[in-house]
Amino acid sequence: MAELRETDVDADAVTQFRRWYDAAATAGVDAYDAMVVATVGADAAPSARVVLLRGVDEAGFRFYTSYDSAKGQDLAANPRAALVWHWPAMGRQVRAVGPVTRLEPAASQDYWRNRPRASRVSAWASHQSAPIADRAALERAAAAAAERYPGEDVPLPPFWGGYLVTPESIEFWQHRDDRLHDRLRYERAGAGWALRRLQS
């Protein structure tokens, strides 16, 4: 039975996250890089969706989207987010909470260059989260964008880029029998992290 003990985890929360994240990738867990991003807009209504984690280091967690999307509008009004990863095959879950900032344009540009051409064209075609008449209208917009940018050099839209979530807390959850799960939460403490166990 898997256990989560204070003596087995790294003193650094992000390093511990990368251990679990890499383990999920190595184990071939489906959609191991999928994470829920929860935001709260100006109307104080919470909203959540699944996106892909596109980078993690000591600064935090990165993802990319349209700034004009629903989540982009939420983050403009209230620049904080909660993240959740769930790897049921491993009986593991991770939660992180913290402030969100836009990445520098150069970082977004570097990521943009590595996206498939079709994905870059689609970013230009879709006004993400806005209503549209039907699927055919979206496909016509994509065809028009593909015609406008016929080669590989599809420019980065000014309304699209990356976000960095800088975690203030990261919680690790390990499934145990009889609902007596293991929960360890790291919280920022100066330049390091304080670790405590939570009840399940």
Side-chain angles (χ1 to χ4, degrees):
M1 179 192 309
E3 299 180 4
L4 182 59
R5 299 177 179 177
E6 291 86 339
T7 54
D8 295 333
V9 298
D10 197 274
D12 183 83
V14 176
T15 300
Q16 181 61 36
F17 172 83
R18 292 174 75 169
R19 282 185 183 176
W20 274 23
Y21 182 78
D22 291 346
T26 300
V29 172
D30 288 341
Y32 68 91
D33 53 353
M35 64 181 184
V36 174
V37 176
T39 55
V40 175
D43 60 358
S47 181
R49 74 290 290 161
V50 177
V51 304
L52 299 181
L53 175 65
R54 287 305 188 216
V56 55
D57 57 25
E58 61 279 358
F61 306 100
R62 292 171 171 78
F63 67 94
Y64 296 82
T65 190
S66 167
Y67 298 140
D68 296 334
S69 66
K71 57 186 165 299
Q73 293 177 43
D74 282 358
L75 291 171
N78 182 10
R80 293 183 60 81
L83 309 177
V84 180
W85 294 263
H86 186 212
W87 301 304
M90 306 180 78
R92 288 177 172 176
Q93 178 176 245
V94 180
R95 301 168 60 214
V97 178
V100 183
T101 54
R102 285 189 186 184
L103 295 177
E104 292 295 324
S108 294
Q109 183 68 61
D110 287 345
Y111 175 75
W112 177 259
R113 290 193 192 100
N114 293 318
R115 286 170 62 82
R117 180 180 181 278
S119 295
R120 287 179 280 154
V121 168
S122 294
W124 277 102
S126 175
H127 298 285
Q128 192 175 336
S129 302
I132 194 165
D134 52 32
R135 173 75 188 188
L138 184 60
E139 291 174 350
R140 287 194 299 272
E147 186 174 344
R148 188 162 64 249
Y149 303 113
E152 283 299 315
D153 187 20
V154 180
L156 173 69
F159 53 81
W160 196 96
Y163 288 97
L164 172 69
V165 182
T166 302
E168 294 175 336
S169 68
I170 304 179
E171 180 187 320
F172 296 84
W173 179 97
Q174 177 68 59
H175 173 81
R176 298 289 297 274
D177 289 342
D178 302 321
R179 206 191 166 281
L180 293 177
H181 311 304
D182 288 326
R183 293 175 64 187
L184 297 181
R185 179 186 291 170
Y186 293 79
E187 295 181 346
R188 290 280 186 187
W193 296 90
L195 179 64
R196 67 176 61 183
R197 177 173 290 270
L198 304 180
Q199 298 181 60
S200 59

